[in-house]
């Protein structure tokens, strides 16, 4: 099944027209899932029969040739094939590539594709190794991501560059024959290209340019020149004739990178890249979350114990959001030098009670069947997506973000459970404590632990989140649909040797009985995942 998810699943519910604007530095592009294989646009390049050009300047075009994937901002450059995951974040990119040969006809790029022989994930190609007799030739490539596909509100709100903004392509396997690697951004309708180059960056950090390198540009720290790629195939840039100057980007509408071999030469061109990120400033309506609606629950008291004010999700986390975040952060391909590796979860999660019966289910039912530690890590991933500081750490010094629930790279650690530590001062998402959850349940919080009213609308299965009426704080399904995980250790850490039991609160589509053992006879303990347990994130 393929889910076509909106960029922001619940923004309309979480933002109001009167909300004051706020600026958030976050990812607006994050290309790097295991993307598959196929030629750019699913087709071979166009030959010189369509475009005639005097490559060597001798006044004759019949002895020269041009091959290209046409430059376009309307026809995506990415492969459209079955193995290419168009539902992945930032999957669509645009641009074009052009190669120019002198004194040779019928010549072309050797490769322009995602290889199917590298686990369907590790490179996008820009390569040519012409055979004898060797001609002189040049080549240029441009890859860009457009505003319509930006994340975190960038698709519909103003995007600019600030001190913490970054544009980051990652070169994976080959980087040979390139003479000009630069970063590209469009402000309104005008493209600009950086004075800074990949080689300049590598020299600055004391590392040779080449493979397995993330080329990081802080766009406020370089000069920019006007850049005018044009259809059908002109993406070349000549730095010798360009005029570089400071530029303040106030309405970023595209970001990407440029690679060229401007030197007229017979040598080979070999380039393989596999991921791209851009972090920028998005100015949008102020809200405690962008991807899920949240309500403010004031401070209170439960059993004489004070409970702090929190923002809590108005609904259980829906499967569509769970899967979008899960898919994005389990990627094997990321700009490695950012020191933000992908996540490793134990389970994939399900759509509501799909493990329980044979009824149909949809992506807006609550996410279920994740382990408690999966839920903890997922809160961190959602925090990173929105540009917030994750709350959960892998070390007591609170210096390493908790990302690995299941250690799949070290066999000796595969069946061990990790320790987790809480940074209560972080501004990211986390699970509510039992007291916070009960305070959010309202005046009748004690009834939610022994919930007995069986909602007539549920039909014996989970329903889409947000079904039914709200409580006094605008929260849905606090006593039905699915039980909910809490941070229940009573401490600022989790130790699997000590904290062996889990507390889930609320109720489910089945009624009041807490799911100690699954009714379907499988015997899944709550901490290991269950079709009637989900999560509802909070922020301090």
């Amino acid at each position: 099944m393929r889910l076509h998810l909106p960029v922001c699943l619940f923004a309309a519910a979480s933002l109001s027209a009167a909300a004051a604007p706020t600026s958030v530095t976050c990812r607006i592009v994050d290309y790097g899932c295991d993307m598959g294989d196929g030629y750019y646009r699913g087709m071979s390049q166009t030959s010189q029969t369509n475009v005639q050009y005097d490559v060597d300047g001798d006044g004759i075009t019949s002895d020269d040739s041009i091959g290209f994937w046409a430059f376009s901002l309307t026809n995506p450059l990415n492969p459209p094939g079955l193995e290419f995951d168009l539902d992945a974040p930032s999957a669509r990119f645009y641009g074009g590539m052009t190669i120019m040969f002198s004194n040779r006809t019928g010549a072309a790029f050797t490769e322009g594709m995602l290889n199917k022989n590298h686990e369907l994930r590790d490179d996008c190609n820009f390569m040519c190794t012409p055979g004898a007799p060797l001609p002189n030739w040049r080549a240029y490539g441009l890859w860009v991501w457009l505003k319509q596909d930006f994340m975190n509100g960038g698709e519909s709100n103003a995007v600019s560059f600030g001190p913490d903004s970054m544009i980051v392509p990652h070169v994976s396997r080959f980087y040979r024959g390139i003479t000009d690697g630069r970063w590209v951004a469009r402000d309104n309708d005008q493209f600009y290209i950086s004075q800074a180059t990949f080689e300049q960056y590598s020299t600055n950090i004391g590392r040779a340019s080449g493979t397995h390198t993330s080329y990081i540009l802080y766009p406020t720290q370089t000069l920019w020149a006007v850049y005018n790629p044009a259809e059908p195939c002109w993406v070349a840039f000549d730095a010798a004739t360009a005029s570089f100057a400071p530029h303040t980007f106030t309405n970023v509408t595209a970001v990407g990178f440029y690679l060229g071999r401007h030197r007229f030469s017979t040598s080979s061109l070999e380039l393989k890249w596999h991921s791209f990120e851009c972090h920028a400033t998005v100015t949008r309506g102020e809200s405690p979350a962008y991807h899920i609606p949240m309500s403010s629950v004031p401070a209170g008291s439960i059993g004489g114990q004070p409970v702090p004010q929190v923002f809590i999700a108005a609904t259980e986390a829906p499967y569509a959001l769970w899967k979008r975040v899960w898919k994005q952060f389990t990627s094997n391909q990321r700009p490695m030098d950012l020191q933000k590796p992908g996540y490793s979860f134990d389970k994939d999660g399900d759509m509501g009670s799909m493990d329980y019966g044979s009824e149909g289910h949809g992506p807006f039912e609550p996410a279920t069947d994740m382990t408690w530690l999966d839920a903890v890590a997922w809160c961190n991933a959602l925090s990173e997506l929105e540009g917030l500081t994750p709350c959960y750490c892998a070390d007591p010094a609170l210096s390493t973000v908790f990302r690995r629930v299941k250690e799949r790279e070290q066999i000796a650690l595969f069946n061990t459970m990790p320790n987790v530590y809480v940074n209560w001062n972080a501004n990211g998402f986390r699970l509510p404590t039992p007291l916070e959850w009960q305070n959010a349940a309202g005046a009748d919080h004690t009834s939610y632990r022994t919930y007995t009213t069986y909602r007539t609308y549920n039909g014996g299965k989970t329903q889409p989140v947000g079904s039914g009426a709200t409580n006094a704080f605008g929260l849905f399904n606090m006593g039905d649909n699915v039980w909910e995980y809490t941070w229940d250790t009573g401490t600022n850490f989790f130790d699997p040797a000590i904290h062996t039991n889990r507390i889930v609160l609320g109720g489910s589509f089945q009624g009041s009985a807490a799911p100690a053992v699954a009714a379907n006879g499988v015997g899944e303990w709550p901490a290991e995942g269950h079709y009637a347990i989900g999560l509802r994130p909070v922020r301090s």
Side-chain angles (χ1 to χ4, degrees):
M1 179 185 67
R2 173 164 288 186
L3 301 179
H4 294 280
L5 305 180
V7 173
C8 175
L9 299 170
F10 294 97
S14 60
L15 304 178
S16 68
T22 186
S23 295
V24 180
T25 299
C26 54
R27 285 183 178 92
I28 61 167
V29 176
D30 191 1
Y31 172 90
C33 286
D34 299 352
M35 300 305 293
D37 73 312
Y39 281 99
Y40 291 119
R41 297 198 180 104
M43 58 184 292
S44 60
Q45 63 196 288
T46 302
S47 70
Q48 78 279 3
T49 56
N50 294 68
V51 177
Q52 297 293 325
Y53 187 74
D54 182 8
V55 175
D56 52 12
D58 63 358
I60 303 172
T61 61
S62 60
D63 62 345
D64 302 330
S65 62
I66 298 178
F68 60 89
W69 275 274
F71 168 72
S72 176
L73 297 179
T74 58
N75 185 10
L77 185 59
N78 53 265
L82 177 64
E83 293 292 344
F84 189 88
D85 187 357
L86 288 172
D87 289 324
S90 306
R92 291 173 180 81
F93 54 88
Y94 298 78
M97 289 169 286
T98 298
I99 192 165
M100 301 179 176
F101 291 91
S102 68
N103 297 310
R104 176 176 289 189
T105 59
F109 283 109
T110 305
E111 295 184 41
M113 68 191 79
L114 279 70
N115 283 129
K116 65 175 61 178
N117 59 336
H118 297 299
E119 297 181 300
L120 298 179
R121 65 171 176 246
D122 84 339
D123 59 55
C124 297
N125 294 333
F126 178 48
M127 301 186 69
C128 186
T129 53
L134 292 174
N136 285 308
W137 57 282
R138 299 185 179 95
Y140 312 92
L142 173 65
W143 297 262
V144 295
W145 285 257
L146 302 183
K147 182 178 179 66
Q148 65 202 39
D149 297 317
F150 285 177
M151 302 160 51
N152 278 311
E155 76 287 354
S156 56
N157 296 284
V159 177
S160 58
F161 289 142
D164 296 327
S165 299
M166 295 184 291
I167 307 175
V168 191
H170 182 85
V171 173
S172 55
R173 297 184 67 232
F174 296 132
Y175 189 90
R176 301 169 187 157
I178 303 294
T179 63
D180 206 11
R182 299 175 188 267
W183 297 263
V184 172
R186 188 176 67 178
D187 201 11
N188 293 302
D189 294 327
Q190 179 61 62
F191 275 105
Y192 294 85
I193 193 166
S194 68
Q195 184 182 53
T197 64
F198 289 6
E199 292 76 15
Q200 182 183 44
Y201 162 81
S202 297
T203 300
N204 287 345
I205 66 169
R207 175 175 55 198
S209 65
T211 61
H212 307 292
T213 299
S214 302
Y215 292 98
I216 306 168
L217 176 74
Y218 297 94
T220 60
Q221 298 180 15
T222 187
L223 303 180
W224 297 87
V226 170
Y227 172 47
N228 292 307
E231 297 180 2
C233 61
W234 196 257
V235 295
F237 174 73
D238 186 357
T241 60
S243 177
F244 293 97
H247 183 78
T248 300
F249 290 84
T250 59
N251 184 28
V252 178
T253 58
V255 291
F257 62 101
Y258 165 89
L259 293 166
R261 207 276 285 282
H262 192 69
R263 181 182 64 242
F264 215 30
S265 170
T266 61
S267 62
S268 296
L269 172 73
E270 300 176 13
L271 184 282
K272 294 178 183 287
W273 64 275
H274 80 15
S275 52
F276 178 85
E277 284 191 24
C278 180
H279 299 224
T281 300
V282 178
T283 301
R284 64 194 188 210
E286 186 173 10
S287 175
Y290 182 74
H291 290 86
I292 190 168
M294 302 192 86
S295 296
S296 176
V297 176
S301 176
I302 301 292
Q305 299 185 64
V307 184
Q309 183 267 343
V310 295
F311 292 101
I312 186 167
T315 72
E316 302 126 335
Y319 176 80
L321 177 59
W322 165 274
K323 198 61 177 181
R324 180 180 180 85
V325 175
W326 185 96
K327 179 185 288 187
Q328 181 164 349
F329 283 88
T330 54
S331 169
N332 292 292
Q333 299 182 186
R334 308 189 73 81
M336 306 304 178
D337 299 78
L338 296 183
Q339 299 300 309
K340 292 183 178 181
Y343 281 63
S344 176
F345 293 91
D346 190 353
K347 292 193 169 186
D348 297 353
D350 281 338
M351 288 183 284
S353 56
M354 62 185 294
D355 271 0
Y356 173 67
S358 58
E359 296 87 353
H361 294 276
F364 294 101
E365 291 180 48
T368 62
D369 204 32
M370 76 289 291
T371 71
W372 181 79
L373 282 171
D374 285 338
V376 168
W378 186 86
C379 287
N380 271 2
L382 181 61
S383 299
E384 290 200 60
L385 175 63
E386 294 210 5
L388 304 173
T389 301
C391 293
Y392 299 116
C393 299
D395 63 318
L398 307 180
S399 60
T400 304
V401 175
F402 173 61
R403 296 186 177 99
R404 304 193 71 80
V405 175
K406 197 76 168 179
E407 182 53 71
R408 302 179 187 279
E409 296 181 0
Q410 301 181 54
I411 295 177
L413 299 178
F414 181 77
N415 288 318
T416 62
M417 296 178 68
N419 289 55
V420 183
Y421 304 85
V422 186
N423 179 2
W424 296 106
N425 295 320
N427 65 356
F429 298 93
R430 58 178 175 81
L431 296 179
T433 66
L435 291 179
E436 288 171 338
W437 191 98
Q438 292 176 69
N439 189 47
D444 296 327
H445 66 84
T446 55
S447 68
Y448 289 106
R449 297 187 121 183
T450 57
Y451 190 85
T452 57
T453 303
Y454 186 62
R455 289 265 178 110
T456 58
Y457 72 76
N458 66 32
K461 71 182 189 71
T462 48
Q463 297 297 305
V465 300
S467 300
T470 63
N471 72 0
F473 299 121
L475 308 180
F476 292 88
N477 305 116
M478 290 293 285
D480 57 18
N481 224 15
V482 292
W483 295 82
E484 298 172 15
Y485 283 130
T486 62
W487 179 266
D488 53 11
T489 68
T491 66
N492 64 349
F493 66 92
F494 165 74
D495 184 338
I498 300 173
H499 305 116
T500 56
N501 297 314
R502 302 271 66 81
I503 296 173
V504 294
L505 294 178
S508 80
F509 67 99
Q510 294 177 309
S512 63
V517 178
N520 65 2
V522 176
E524 301 162 298
W525 290 96
E528 298 174 0
H530 189 277
Y531 62 78
I533 299 178
L535 75 152
R536 184 186 301 260
V538 303
R539 287 185 65 196
S540 296

